[in-house]
Amino acid sequence: VDRVIVRQRMADLEYLNKLVGEMSAEEAKLQRLFQEKRNEYDELQKAAGAQGAQVNLKPISDTLNEVANNQVLQDVHPEVAKYAQERAKTFESRGTYSTEQAQEAIKIYNNSLKAFYKNPSYETASKATIDAGIVNNLRSSLDSSIESLTGESYQALKNQYSSLKTIEKDVIHRAIVDARKANKGLGR
């Protein structure tokens, strides 16, 4: 009986290794497709920038001012209101970013947020919430700026990228389901 269990576990492990290999190959294909779409996006962003596209920062500063002026937030977390006010003043005085500057700002904020998500703390959570809002608003403004100059080609690219994300989620889900099926023999 023990030999049967050992054989089953070995077969399960071999299947899981095969599945991981197949997932790695599919993931590599998806990563190549994501990179192709990223390169296409970068080209559209550069073309829009070359045509003089600007990212208006006023809507971002207006939103940050609303947050900073929230009386409850000022009472409960004055440091967050102050941080929002500082960011609002910075964006207000800057006025606009080029498409490249906006992309760089998004990258810097995302790197900061990535560090926060890896090691969250109570002290930095509120700042991260403000930063995430800035990133979302910057990305939206950048997208609008690019789309206004490139038209349908940008929207088509966004749709393709969204489809790839859906496929990626489906592949991961399917792999998890298959792994669970194979793993049933391991719990005996």
Side-chain angles (χ1 to χ4, degrees):
V1 175
D2 288 338
R3 289 182 188 194
V4 172
I5 292 172
V6 168
R7 279 192 214 125
Q8 179 61 45
R9 288 184 179 170
M10 293 298 291
D12 289 346
L13 287 173
E14 286 176 26
Y15 178 75
L16 286 172
N17 283 332
K18 178 183 170 199
L19 186 60
V20 167
E22 290 172 3
M23 283 178 53
S24 297
E26 290 303 313
E27 183 179 5
K29 288 177 190 175
L30 282 172
Q31 289 303 323
R32 282 193 301 276
L33 286 171
F34 281 128
Q35 189 58 48
E36 286 175 23
K37 297 305 169 195
R38 182 80 212 155
N39 291 342
E40 286 179 44
Y41 175 83
D42 288 345
E43 290 301 316
L44 284 174
Q45 179 255 310
K46 287 176 185 172
Q51 293 178 34
Q54 294 287 307
V55 176
N56 183 3
L57 301 175
K58 183 163 179 17
I60 298 169
S61 66
D62 290 347
T63 300
L64 288 167
N65 277 322
E66 286 178 26
V67 171
N69 293 326
N70 180 299
Q71 290 179 350
V72 174
L73 186 63
Q74 290 172 353
D75 294 344
V76 177
H77 289 289
E79 72 284 357
V80 176
K82 183 180 178 189
Y83 180 71
Q85 186 65 47
E86 290 169 357
R87 297 291 80 214
K89 285 180 183 176
T90 300
F91 287 122
E92 196 171 308
S93 67
R94 176 71 54 206
T96 61
Y97 275 157
S98 70
T99 57
E100 288 183 19
Q101 289 171 322
Q103 189 65 35
E104 182 180 356
I106 291 168
K107 183 178 179 182
I108 291 168
Y109 276 112
N110 279 338
N111 287 339
S112 174
L113 289 167
K114 192 181 297 182
F116 166 75
Y117 294 133
K118 285 184 179 178
N119 188 20
S121 69
Y122 179 77
E123 294 78 27
T124 58
S126 298
K127 181 179 179 268
T129 301
I130 299 295
D131 289 350
I134 291 170
V135 167
N136 288 337
N137 284 312
L138 265 174
R139 189 174 291 119
S140 176
S141 295
L142 178 61
D143 288 352
S144 296
S145 180
I146 293 171
E147 192 168 2
S148 70
L149 290 177
T150 62
E152 292 179 18
S153 60
Y154 180 67
Q155 185 59 49
L157 178 61
K158 283 174 58 176
N159 292 344
Q160 290 172 355
Y161 190 81
S162 176
S163 295
L164 282 175
K165 280 294 199 187
T166 301
I167 290 169
E168 181 184 41
K169 288 177 189 172
D170 290 345
V171 167
I172 290 170
H173 174 72
R174 188 74 247 155
I176 290 170
V177 168
D178 285 349
R180 284 185 187 145
K181 286 179 185 175
N183 200 17
K184 286 183 181 176
L186 296 176
R188 292 182 210 169

